[in-house]
Amino acid sequence: MAKVTKRPRYVKMNGILYPEMFSPKCFKEALEYKPEPDDVFICTYPKCGTTWMQNVAMYIFRKGKEIKDPYEFIKYSPFIDMLGKEGIDGMPRPGAFKTHLPYSHMPFSPEAKYIFVARNPKDCCVSFYHHARNQPGFGFWDGEFDDFFELFMAGELEYNDYFDHLLEWYPHRNDRNVLYTTYEDMKKDIKAVILKLSKFFGQEYIEAIEKDNAVLNNIIHYSGFDYMKKKISEVYDVRCEESSSEPMYEGLKYMAEFTASLKYPDDLPELQFVRKGIVGDWKNHFSAEQTERLNSKFLEKLKDTEVLQWYPLE
């Protein structure tokens, strides 16, 4: 591993690196949660389509009914690693929890349902880099891509190694209570993914779509890139003030206070949870050497899996 001059701010619990701006109490509560039989978890490595899948699941459960305030997104699809028990208890049901926990640390129940989304590691790395730079709580606003690439290759980013995370979930892709898809499949045919997910959730949701075409059209519209970029990009912006009508969660308060303590520059770029939403952006960032190195690790780690067919090397 080449020398790294700058790292995002992480801490470790139970062997997992997680953002230092997350409340340790809330993170521990997520690790210790015992799932209810009807729980649904959206499980991804960071920047692999999590927010997109949250949005799709939320609107399937809401049968295409639009939320009134983007802040409601946190309540209807809480990031339990950051919000802990308060987010879990406050979620209206039916709903879906977001988590980046690896399978070995997941709150597991055979009666709960799990959605796993994979993404090309090269695009994941690039999206992850921009996320770390744009979110001031990471303290990485002046970080360079070359440093971040080295951390990605070494598995020294939050939630540890991309490949290990993927390989923990991969053997469970055909479990009856797991739905497995990819970011690229969502880009290729979001309608097919919505229908598949609706069936996975239960007869009530696929029937709602079949009985009223407007339900499906609304889910597709509200899960579109332009809509999400406008409505959701600033949901987790800790620079916003606490709403008088919606008290801020304990985990968000912790993150806001931690971030403020870093005294970040005033000219930071706008925080974007939804940035480009494209496939292949890695080509604008990777050098030839970096491409070769990541390809080698890809082949080494995933040589006995179908993932090699999902992401042909370039």
Side-chain angles (χ1 to χ4, degrees):
M1 178 178 175
K3 183 180 179 181
V4 173
T5 59
K6 182 89 174 182
R7 296 170 180 260
R9 297 184 64 141
Y10 301 135
V11 289
K12 184 177 285 189
M13 184 182 296
N14 289 17
I16 301 175
L17 287 171
Y18 70 97
E20 190 178 357
M21 62 182 152
F22 284 12
S23 159
K25 173 179 175 290
C26 292
F27 192 73
K28 187 171 185 288
E29 289 170 350
L31 288 169
E32 294 177 347
Y33 175 58
K34 305 300 181 186
E36 299 290 332
D38 61 345
D39 280 348
V40 176
F41 295 87
I42 296 168
C43 320
T44 69
Y45 190 75
K47 308 312 295 179
C48 287
T50 327
T51 303
W52 193 4
M53 181 55 78
Q54 283 177 275
N55 209 65
V56 170
M58 179 180 69
Y59 278 112
I60 290 174
F61 282 132
R62 291 177 61 80
K63 299 176 183 174
K65 182 180 178 182
E66 187 177 18
I67 57 173
K68 297 178 181 179
D69 184 334
Y71 190 84
E72 290 185 296
F73 181 78
I74 296 175
K75 181 166 66 175
Y76 285 104
S77 186
F79 183 14
I80 61 173
D81 307 9
M82 182 177 70
L83 303 177
K85 189 175 186 299
E86 191 175 14
I88 292 167
D89 293 344
M91 183 186 74
R93 294 175 182 273
F97 301 122
K98 163 188 170 179
T99 180
H100 293 314
L101 292 174
Y103 186 86
S104 57
H105 291 72
M106 265 301 299
F108 181 79
S109 167
E111 303 305 317
K113 293 182 178 180
Y114 300 84
I115 304 162
F116 186 83
V117 186
R119 188 181 189 182
N120 186 315
K122 295 171 188 170
D123 279 334
C124 170
C125 178
V126 168
S127 182
F128 207 172
Y129 162 67
H130 285 287
H131 176 69
R133 285 196 79 221
N134 291 348
Q135 169 57 272
F138 287 112
F140 194 68
W141 48 79
D142 55 350
E144 298 293 337
F145 178 73
D146 288 350
D147 282 345
F148 196 87
F149 173 83
E150 295 298 332
L151 295 172
F152 186 87
M153 289 292 294
E156 295 179 8
L157 296 174
E158 58 182 290
Y159 300 92
N160 303 359
D161 185 80
Y162 163 95
F163 295 95
D164 291 343
H165 193 283
L166 176 57
L167 285 169
E168 281 195 17
W169 278 99
Y170 179 79
H172 303 280
R173 66 196 182 284
N174 296 319
D175 290 359
R176 66 168 186 83
N177 64 334
V178 175
L179 186 145
Y180 216 84
T181 191
T182 69
Y183 182 90
E184 292 74 20
D185 283 344
M186 294 176 72
K187 288 289 294 184
K188 182 179 179 181
D189 192 348
I190 189 61
K191 178 181 177 180
V193 173
I194 290 170
L195 293 173
K196 184 179 178 182
L197 194 60
S198 299
K199 291 178 183 177
F200 181 67
F201 287 159
Q203 192 66 23
E204 172 186 351
Y205 303 102
I206 192 65
E207 284 183 355
I209 287 174
E210 290 173 346
K211 289 179 179 178
D212 185 354
N213 196 52
V215 173
L216 177 60
N217 290 338
N218 285 346
I219 296 169
I220 293 172
H221 173 69
Y222 296 142
S223 300
F225 177 80
D226 291 338
Y227 177 89
M228 289 195 300
K229 189 173 181 65
K230 179 181 179 182
K231 297 288 186 178
I232 298 178
S233 289
E234 297 185 10
V235 165
Y236 291 113
D237 187 349
V238 299
R239 286 170 278 183
C240 67
E241 296 181 359
E242 181 173 342
S243 166
S244 57
S245 59
E246 288 282 354
M248 191 181 288
Y249 284 110
E250 175 186 353
L252 286 178
K253 287 182 180 179
Y254 186 98
M255 185 166 68
E257 291 169 0
F258 177 88
T259 302
S261 73
L262 299 182
K263 297 181 172 57
Y264 50 83
D266 292 333
D267 59 348
L268 283 180
E270 179 184 359
L271 177 63
Q272 294 180 321
F273 247 75
V274 180
R275 191 179 61 91
K276 281 190 176 181
I278 63 174
V279 172
D281 193 34
W282 66 270
K283 296 175 184 178
N284 299 317
H285 295 74
F286 275 57
S287 67
E289 180 193 12
Q290 288 169 338
T291 301
E292 183 178 353
R293 286 175 59 197
L294 197 144
N295 284 350
S296 294
K297 183 171 183 178
F298 181 90
L299 289 171
E300 175 191 351
K301 299 285 282 189
L302 303 172
K303 59 185 177 183
D304 297 321
T305 73
E306 298 172 4
V307 182
L308 296 178
Q309 301 169 29
W310 302 352
Y311 304 120
L313 299 181
E314 298 184 51

